[in-house]
Structure formats: C-alpha cells, structure tokens
Amino acid sequence: MLRKEFDKQIKDCMDGNLAAVKNDKWRNKYHIMAPIGWINDPNGLCEFNGEYHCFYQYSPLTPMGGLKFWGQYTSKDLVNWEDRGVALYPDIAEDKDGVYSGSAFVKDDTVYFFYTGNVKHAGEHDYILTGREQNVILVTSKDGVNFSEKTVVLRNEDFPSNMSLHVRDPKVWEEDGVYYMVLGARTVDDKGCILLYKSKDLYNWEFNSIPAGERDDMGYMWECPDTFKLEGKDVFMFSPQGIDAEGYKYNNVYQSGYAVGNFDEGKKHLELGDFIEIDRGFDFYAPQTFEDSKNRRIMIGWMGVPDAVIHRNPTIDNFWQHALTIPRELILKNDKIYQVPVIELETLRKGEAYKAEVSLEEGKTLEIFENNTFELNIDLKNCNDFRVSLREDCVLSFKDGVFKLELGKSGYGRAMRAVEINSIDSLKIFSDNSILEIFLNDGEEVFTTRIYNDSIDKCLKLEGTGTALIEKWNL
C-alpha cells in the first residue's frame, strides 16, 4: 500500500512541476539528473547482463532533499541513459525514514544490493547517540529492475559499542572466496572510521575489524567508503566530514578523496598513505566505483556537497537540484589516481571538430561556441602561464605553480578553487548547460563545478605564454 501512496504523491508532484523542470534552460543534456526534485549519491553502480545500472539517492517530492528513495537509470553504453523510475521505496519499518546509500554486488545470475535503512525515532534525540537506527538491508534481483523482499542483515546492536548511531553506506566485494563489507562510521568520541564485516553467504555477517580511522586529524565521520585494487594496490576511497581547510586543500564543507595502502593478511588493519582529494572543484562528493566487463574501474560522483551554505543552485526555483558526473575511468600512476572520461563519451561529438593553433603571447578571442554543450581540448606547448576565459565569467588560470578556477555571478556564490601543480600541458573540458568538468594533464587533477551563466557566450579568450592547440566539438 505504501508504494501506491508514494507513486500517487510522486505523480501529483510531477503533474504540478514537471513542465517547469523540463523548460529550465539550465537542465543538462548529457548528465544524469533526477526526473524531478533532488538527486544525490550514486548508488548500486554495476554492469549486469550487458547493461550498466546507476541507482541514486532520490527525493522526488522536493528539490531540497527530503525522504530518500533509490531512483534508477540503465544504459548500454554509459552515454545514453534510460530512466527506470523509482527502484526502492522506504516502505518497511527498518527503512521508513529513507532508503539511504549503498552498493551492488554481482554474483553469477544475481545482483545483491546492500543499503542503509534509516529510521529516526520520535522524541528528544540528537540522532547521533540516541534516536536513530542504521539498518543494513539486502535486496536481490535477477534482472536488475525487479527486486526481492528486503532482508535486514545488520542492526545497531551488531556494531561495536564505541560507535555512534552514524554507521552507513555499505560496499561489498569478494576476495579469496570471502565476502567483505565496509561501512562508514562515526565513533562516540567523534572520530571517523570504517567497519569491516565478512560473510560466507552474503546474508550472515560477522564483525572483522576497524581497519582504519579513529584519527585526530581526519574528521568526525567517514561516509561512502569504497575499497578496490588498482595496479595490485589497495585503494581506499571515502568522504570524510570535519577536516579543516589547509591552504588550497579541503575548501569545501566536506571532502572526497582516497589513500593508497595495503590490508594486512587478516584485514585487521589497513595501512594508508596520504589522503588526496579526488576532485578540487566546488561540486563533488560521495563517489562510487565499479569494475565493468572491460576490466575498467569506473567512478561516478555526486555533483553536489551536503550542507553547502556559501553557494546555491537556482534550479530549485524550478523544482530540481543537482546532477551526477560523467563516468570516469580510474588509472593509478605512481600512487596517484588519474581520472579519464570514458571513451564512450566521444560518441557525443557532433560533426567535425573546430581546430586552431594560437600564440598565447598575442592573446586571442575565438568565436567558437554555439551553445553551452561542448567538449573543449587545449594542448599547451612551452607554456609557463595562461588565462582562459569562457561562459561569461569563468576564468581558468595557471601561474607560479597554481591552477585556479574562478567564477563570477554565474557561480551563485562559488568564487575560487585552486590546486598546486608543477606544470600543465593539457586541459579537457566537458561543458553542459549548467556544468563544467575540467581535467588537467589527462586527469591528474579534476575540477567539477555547477555554472549558471545567463546567456550563450560564444567567445573563448586565451592569453599567456607558449602555444595552444585547440579542438572543440559540439555535444
């Protein structure tokens, strides 16, 4: 009965607001967005029976992020996505206040979906130490679109006694015939960490360890943990909350990043190297990865940040907010993750590329943009500094070993993000109606941001030292 009631509420909401959503000039062309309302974390990423599946945190009844469902998109090629509507509803006692984030694990002919069922009890509670249930719930599917009944596999009492009631975001994998589940957590003394469980059958889980965390300098909560191997090394990706800004680092309210390390033999301890932000822009959080049939480790992130108060998104006036990034392949080089837009995105290119070679010393303004949806590649030679301007008031600059992304009015409160980098020999920019994803040096550093320029700026302005080779495609 609950599902029918939810479906009616969603239909009524769409009847009243969908026209405004579809007619918004800032609605994007090739990025995943919720059909209406709010989208946040990508969930349940997987490839199954020849299709890619992207689930996501979905609040269809409000653009401000209310009760969470799982929405779903599927694709044959990581480019063209089909909306499958609501996949999972908050329709049992153990998830009545939200189907929170989780992951997918494919085994033989079945997909196993694990997520956090959120429950908040009425009364005087802080919902950190009292009043909350964080249930790990399992559903299965034989086709990726129809789902089994829900099974609760972990409850509050299954977590260590020094944990707060913030334990969530299960990610599951198999290694040497054993299934492992990692959960993000916050201790009672406000230190972020991860919990590791193991299982022989995916239904019965036993506590294994707290392999990493509980440090004084790494925040009070670790969200969206993800462990995987690149080049034979254990990579741990997570989204810590509570890290103070440090120069150009950690400037968003919460961060997302990774550390390269190694588990010990019993997975009791995960030795980690330095924490590195995975994206330096204004709008990136809660990334999730999966391995596809081509043995690629692919990541998608949420183009937003929780609790952001300095900047805003004007699309809320038209009853929608946020988007997901393009899929990015992860490659490890010298313990540094490079992010490369998946090759399938080249199929978005329309017609012949615009090509030009420009001397930056002379300065140049090129009228090359017909709309806001394009791919722009700039290869630099003998360049020690540059300034690139586009989309009315977006400035990308490099000088004295610092790259900066700066926005004016179009940022709606987003002003500047930067990174220290020795040199830059290439920029790749994916531009959508209200999005920029900027890749430096074949993905050595990446900046993701929303951008809301009022009109079509046809001009690309360049100045600096050296030479720029330019390619631009309409998308």
Side-chain angles (χ1 to χ4, degrees):
M1 186 62 187
L2 266 180
R3 295 190 182 193
K4 290 183 179 179
E5 293 174 2
F6 282 134
D7 285 339
K8 183 180 185 306
Q9 292 175 25
I10 294 169
K11 181 181 183 302
D12 291 345
C13 196
M14 286 189 169
D15 289 344
N17 297 283
L18 196 56
V21 172
K22 290 183 174 181
N23 292 328
D24 192 335
K25 66 181 179 181
W26 288 315
R27 195 76 173 159
N28 294 292
K29 186 175 180 181
Y30 59 91
H31 285 81
I32 288 177
M33 301 166 290
I36 194 170
W38 164 287
I39 185 174
N40 60 291
D41 307 3
N43 293 157
L45 301 183
C46 63
E47 183 186 7
F48 182 62
N49 289 344
E51 276 194 320
Y52 293 100
H53 294 258
C54 179
F55 299 83
Y56 60 91
Q57 289 286 280
Y58 183 24
S59 295
L61 304 178
T62 169
M64 302 306 293
L67 183 63
K68 297 297 192 304
F69 301 69
W70 271 26
Q72 181 183 15
Y73 281 93
T74 58
S75 175
K76 296 286 189 182
D77 58 9
L78 292 170
V79 177
N80 300 286
W81 294 92
E82 179 184 354
D83 175 23
R84 296 282 193 155
V86 175
L88 298 177
Y89 297 73
D91 57 1
I92 63 172
E94 290 87 354
D95 68 6
K96 71 181 185 66
D97 294 308
V99 180
Y100 275 18
S101 285
S103 60
F105 176 74
V106 178
K107 182 67 175 179
D108 299 326
D109 62 349
T110 304
V111 189
Y112 297 80
F113 296 96
F114 296 86
Y115 70 91
T116 297
N118 186 51
V119 177
K120 298 177 80 172
H121 297 294
E124 296 293 322
H125 299 292
D126 63 1
Y127 299 108
I128 300 172
L129 299 177
T130 64
R132 182 189 292 268
E133 295 175 30
Q134 299 279 265
N135 302 300
V136 178
I137 298 174
L138 166 64
V139 296
T140 63
S141 177
K142 295 291 187 180
D143 60 6
V145 293
N146 294 288
F147 305 95
S148 70
E149 295 297 313
K150 298 173 178 180
T151 301
V152 180
V153 297
L154 292 172
R155 301 177 185 268
N156 285 7
E157 55 265 30
D158 298 309
F159 305 136
S161 60
N162 66 326
M163 292 300 118
S164 74
L165 301 181
H166 283 237
V167 178
R168 53 182 173 267
D169 308 336
K171 184 72 187 289
V172 172
W173 77 99
E174 182 181 11
E175 192 172 333
D176 298 326
V178 179
Y179 303 109
Y180 294 96
M181 176 195 296
V182 65
L183 288 157
R186 173 180 184 170
T187 67
V188 293
D189 55 352
D190 296 328
K191 293 180 181 178
C193 65
I194 52 171
L195 310 181
L196 188 66
Y197 288 76
K198 61 183 180 181
S199 173
K200 295 180 180 179
D201 62 6
L202 294 169
Y203 285 86
N204 298 285
W205 294 87
E206 63 178 89
F207 176 73
N208 185 75
S209 61
I210 304 175
E214 298 186 282
R215 292 169 46 175
D216 293 330
D217 61 344
M218 280 303 295
Y220 59 81
M221 174 70 197
W222 288 6
E223 288 198 307
C224 304
D226 193 351
T227 63
F228 51 90
K229 288 188 180 293
L230 290 176
E231 301 297 327
K233 296 185 177 181
D234 291 308
V235 178
F236 175 53
M237 187 173 290
F238 62 115
S239 296
Q241 298 181 341
I243 298 180
D244 294 330
E246 182 182 315
Y248 296 129
K249 296 179 180 179
Y250 321 137
N251 279 210
N252 290 343
V253 60
Y254 304 136
Q255 281 65 53
S256 291
Y258 66 94
V260 179
N262 287 287
F263 273 108
D264 63 11
E265 186 174 349
K267 296 196 185 305
K268 300 295 185 181
H269 178 67
L270 175 59
E271 185 68 33
L272 294 175
D274 293 337
F275 175 73
I276 301 172
E277 285 182 277
I278 191 73
D279 192 294
R280 308 285 185 166
F282 298 97
D283 296 273
F284 188 90
Y285 193 73
Q288 187 174 107
T289 75
F290 71 103
E291 187 175 73
D292 76 348
S293 57
K294 299 176 182 177
N295 298 318
R296 298 179 296 182
R297 177 60 55 174
I298 296 173
M299 179 186 76
I300 296 176
W302 172 35
M303 210 171 294
V305 178
D307 303 327
V309 295
I310 295 176
H311 62 256
R312 64 180 293 265
N313 298 304
T315 60
I316 59 175
D317 297 337
N318 288 318
F319 214 86
W320 71 280
Q321 189 171 194
H322 300 311
L324 302 184
T325 68
I326 56 174
R328 306 170 182 177
E329 182 180 359
L330 303 185
I331 298 171
L332 192 67
K333 300 180 183 179
N334 299 319
D335 286 353
K336 168 80 172 179
I337 286 182
Y338 283 64
Q339 302 170 65
V340 180
V342 294
I343 193 70
E344 289 91 337
L345 291 165
E346 291 185 2
T347 63
L348 288 170
R349 295 171 177 174
K350 293 183 177 179
E352 295 294 320
Y354 169 90
K355 297 183 180 183
E357 183 172 348
V358 174
S359 172
L360 296 178
E361 282 91 348
E362 300 172 1
K364 194 75 172 179
T365 298
L366 305 172
E367 287 196 18
I368 64 172
F369 300 126
E370 301 166 25
N371 51 49
N372 287 326
T373 56
F374 58 82
E375 177 189 344
L376 176 66
N377 296 333
I378 303 177
D379 290 328
L380 300 162
K381 295 183 178 180
N382 303 315
C383 180
N384 296 316
D385 63 88
F386 63 77
R387 180 183 173 92
V388 175
S389 303
L390 69 162
R391 293 193 63 162
E392 292 185 355
D393 60 8
C394 175
V395 177
L396 311 177
S397 64
F398 177 63
K399 187 175 182 180
D400 298 329
V402 176
F403 173 85
K404 293 182 179 179
L405 160 65
E406 297 174 276
L407 297 175
K409 178 186 174 185
S410 69
Y412 277 75
R414 299 163 177 85
M416 189 269 288
R417 288 290 182 267
V419 67
E420 295 181 357
I421 187 169
N422 291 332
S423 62
I424 297 178
D425 54 34
S426 69
L427 292 88
K428 178 185 285 288
I429 300 170
F430 279 86
S431 175
D432 210 335
N433 286 323
S434 58
I435 289 169
L436 288 175
E437 294 184 69
I438 303 158
F439 299 79
L440 309 181
N441 294 345
D442 297 321
E444 178 183 353
E445 298 289 352
V446 182
F447 287 70
T448 299
T449 187
R450 303 303 301 276
I451 181 171
Y452 302 100
N453 49 304
D454 287 322
S455 58
I456 303 299
D457 183 356
K458 297 181 179 181
C459 294
L460 174 68
K461 300 176 183 178
L462 307 103
E463 57 185 287
T465 60
T467 302
L469 301 175
I470 297 165
E471 288 185 305
K472 189 270 308 185
W473 287 268
N474 290 329
L475 301 181

